[in-house]
Amino acid sequence: MAPTANPFIPYAPVTFSVSESLERASDFYTFMDQRRSIRDFSDKPVPRNLIQKLILTAASAPSGAHKQPWTFCVISDLALKTQIRAAAEKEEYESYQGRMSQEWLEDLAPLGTDWQKPFLETAPWLIVVFKKAYDVQPDGSKRNNYYVSESVGLACGFLISAIHQAGLVTLTHTPSPMNFLSKLLNRPANERPFLLLPVGYAAENVKVPNLARKSLEEMSVWY
């Protein structure tokens, strides 16, 4: 990425009164608290330009040294989604049948999950996020990226929020190991799969586990 001619430009922050800030923060919390992970998707189409906007929002996340060490692979081709499902289910079956500890399986039980992942075919879009350990320069040399996992994790958080804000649903899917995604999508050696997100609309009459989030007191310490 070439440096800009002027390394610093004026910034015009968006500011609100304290009451406006509190109202906006409360409204945003109420909205985001409605977000849920969905495993039953509709096959209703989602426009490509909507997905593009979501990815641009994700890429507005901060990153170490502004390296932006991410690649978003976006899949709508059914044949490729079918291949991804088959490979993911193979790994998931192995996990549920022996890789996962009994404690892990017990923790998953309330969620009703298993090795079958039909949403990988049903959802109109799959977004596979790759993290880039380093960038390859035009001369073939390597240039390191910094805080790669942290940066890509932040971008994924932005992406999930943007998906919810657009009235769509998603699920953070992490079949382990995920190396098959690199092969199926023909990604270069400097990229590693980080997260797979099916994106679309929720299926009609979809149900989700009746879960509660931790209270503010349980998850914060004030000094």
Side-chain angles (χ1 to χ4, degrees):
M1 184 173 59
T4 57
N6 187 351
F8 290 93
I9 58 175
Y11 174 64
V14 179
T15 58
F16 305 98
S17 68
V18 172
S19 60
E20 288 175 320
S21 292
L22 180 57
E23 181 179 5
R24 290 172 65 89
S26 297
D27 289 346
F28 189 64
Y29 161 69
T30 299
F31 178 73
M32 290 304 297
D33 194 43
Q34 298 170 356
R35 186 209 58 78
R36 297 300 299 269
S37 296
I38 299 297
R39 291 175 173 81
D40 295 314
F41 284 76
S42 166
D43 60 1
K44 178 181 176 181
V46 175
R48 178 187 177 117
N49 60 350
L50 175 51
I51 301 298
Q52 290 172 332
K53 291 296 183 184
L54 301 179
I55 292 173
L56 287 171
T57 299
S60 72
S63 61
H66 193 56
K67 289 293 193 136
Q68 305 168 83
W70 44 62
T71 299
F72 301 90
C73 293
V74 190
I75 302 130
S76 62
D77 180 77
L78 180 57
L80 183 52
K81 289 195 294 182
T82 299
Q83 288 182 285
I84 290 173
R85 177 185 177 182
E89 287 187 335
K90 180 179 182 298
E91 297 298 344
E92 291 287 84
Y93 181 84
E94 294 295 330
S95 293
Y96 276 86
Q97 296 301 314
R99 290 176 181 162
M100 293 180 180
S101 67
Q102 185 59 36
E103 181 180 6
W104 192 346
L105 292 172
E106 290 172 359
D107 286 338
L108 286 174
L111 305 179
T113 64
D114 59 30
W115 62 270
Q116 299 179 80
K117 310 298 176 185
F119 54 78
L120 293 174
E121 287 184 286
T122 308
W125 297 95
L126 303 180
I127 301 176
V128 183
V129 186
F130 285 81
K131 62 180 183 180
K132 301 171 71 174
Y134 57 90
D135 286 318
V136 180
Q137 304 304 299
D139 63 2
S141 63
K142 299 178 181 179
R143 194 167 182 89
N144 287 332
N145 291 325
Y146 312 103
Y147 300 103
V148 174
S149 293
E150 294 86 346
S151 299
V152 178
L154 287 166
C156 288
F158 275 43
L159 178 55
I160 292 166
S161 297
I163 289 168
H164 181 63
Q165 193 273 339
L168 303 173
V169 297
T170 190
L171 168 73
T172 52
H173 184 46
T174 52
S176 180
M178 293 197 288
N179 297 335
F180 66 88
L181 290 168
S182 298
K183 296 177 182 178
L184 287 175
L185 300 176
N186 195 29
R187 301 314 305 158
N190 65 323
E191 295 186 1
R192 297 288 185 273
F194 185 82
L195 189 63
L196 194 167
L197 295 162
V199 181
Y201 294 99
E204 189 174 354
N205 300 319
V206 67
K207 294 184 178 181
V208 295
N210 185 14
L211 304 177
R213 293 186 169 96
K214 290 182 178 180
S215 68
L216 182 63
E217 292 73 22
E218 290 176 297
M219 61 181 178
S220 63
V221 181
W222 298 69
Y223 297 90

